Amino acid sequence: MDKHMTLLTHINNVCRSASYAISKIGRIRKFIDQATAERLVHAFATSRLDANNSLLYGLPKTAIAKLQRVQNSAIRLITCVKRDQDINAVRRDLHWLPIRDRIVFKLLLITYKIRHGLAPAYLTDLLMDYIPTRTLRSSSQYLLQPPSSREVATDYYGKRAFSVAAPSLWNSLPLAIRNADTVYKFKRQLKTHLFNNPSD
């Protein structure tokens, strides 16, 4: 953590360790098949990219781009595609979400677990169900109460807070996803939704 909360030191360390793992796997890539290469990359590289990634929500594109370049290197290693080939198309073939959407996915998964009593109290206490003062259609929409304008700082840091970001992202989901009755269904539907509606 740095004094400006940019997390750049953390990002640089993650990129360094993940890139090192990718280079090591690259040395044996010609001796293994694609499925084995993908398992190794998930175990030693993308697991590092995903660890604690919900903390990275709202960071500038330049910061996320560093992590994206590492993911792109992992994809090229697995698929052996040339550098001039469209990496986005190859990523979709692997059914991988880009880094920015993986961050959103993690935030929303945590939010789902909070709403279903599967998260610790210190997180649960940050969110409240939306309860209108009178009966409205929104009463059955499984929405979260966004913080009031007085409670939320309008600067860069306030918008990144979990108590601000989670209700905003959750309430923007289709009802069918918010209403998923198992974690497995939620994850499957959410991933499809993010593929069809990628973050900018």
Side-chain angles (χ1 to χ4, degrees):
M1 185 71 72
D2 57 89
K3 65 180 180 180
H4 299 297
M5 297 183 67
T6 62
L7 294 174
L8 287 180
T9 299
H10 168 72
I11 288 173
N12 289 336
N13 289 337
V14 168
C15 290
R16 188 179 304 112
S17 61
S19 295
Y20 179 75
I22 290 169
S23 67
K24 287 290 188 181
I25 298 168
R27 295 180 183 179
I28 62 169
R29 176 64 184 91
K30 63 182 179 180
F31 303 110
I32 58 178
D33 60 20
Q34 179 169 318
T36 302
E38 186 169 0
R39 284 195 292 271
L40 289 173
V41 166
H42 280 314
F44 298 106
T46 58
S47 59
R48 290 181 166 91
L49 297 178
D50 289 339
N52 302 313
N53 65 349
S54 59
L55 297 174
L56 307 179
Y57 179 78
L59 286 179
K61 291 182 178 180
T62 52
I64 302 302
K66 293 185 176 184
L67 298 167
Q68 188 59 62
R69 284 193 290 271
V70 176
Q71 189 196 56
N72 292 349
S73 296
I75 291 170
R76 291 191 178 95
L77 171 67
I78 291 169
T79 59
C80 299
V81 299
K82 297 179 180 179
R83 296 193 66 86
D84 59 352
Q85 190 166 343
D86 181 13
I87 197 67
N88 294 320
V90 180
R91 184 190 304 112
R92 289 188 68 87
D93 288 342
L94 287 176
H95 209 57
W96 287 17
L97 291 169
I99 295 297
R100 188 169 292 277
D101 286 334
R102 291 171 88 94
I103 293 169
V104 171
F105 182 94
K106 180 69 71 66
L107 265 174
L108 286 168
L109 179 58
I110 293 171
T111 305
Y112 179 89
K113 290 181 176 180
I114 289 173
R115 295 201 74 258
H116 290 80
L118 303 173
Y122 72 89
L123 286 176
T124 303
D125 292 343
L126 295 175
L127 301 180
M128 294 177 56
D129 288 337
Y130 173 67
I131 303 175
T133 56
R134 53 195 177 89
T135 304
L136 301 169
R137 286 182 59 191
S138 57
S139 302
S140 59
Q141 298 294 302
Y142 303 98
L143 299 172
L144 291 173
Q145 178 68 50
S148 67
S149 57
R150 289 181 297 178
E151 297 175 304
V152 180
T154 57
D155 61 10
Y156 167 73
Y157 304 106
K159 294 176 182 177
R160 286 177 54 194
F162 179 77
S163 59
V164 179
S168 175
L169 291 170
W170 179 264
N171 292 347
S172 69
L173 288 176
L175 175 60
I177 300 178
R178 296 198 303 269
N179 196 31
D181 56 2
T182 67
V183 174
Y184 172 77
K185 287 181 181 178
F186 177 78
K187 290 168 67 174
R188 185 182 61 186
Q189 293 176 18
L190 176 59
K191 189 172 185 180
T192 300
H193 174 73
L194 291 174
F195 264 112
N196 294 333
N197 303 275
S199 303
D200 53 13

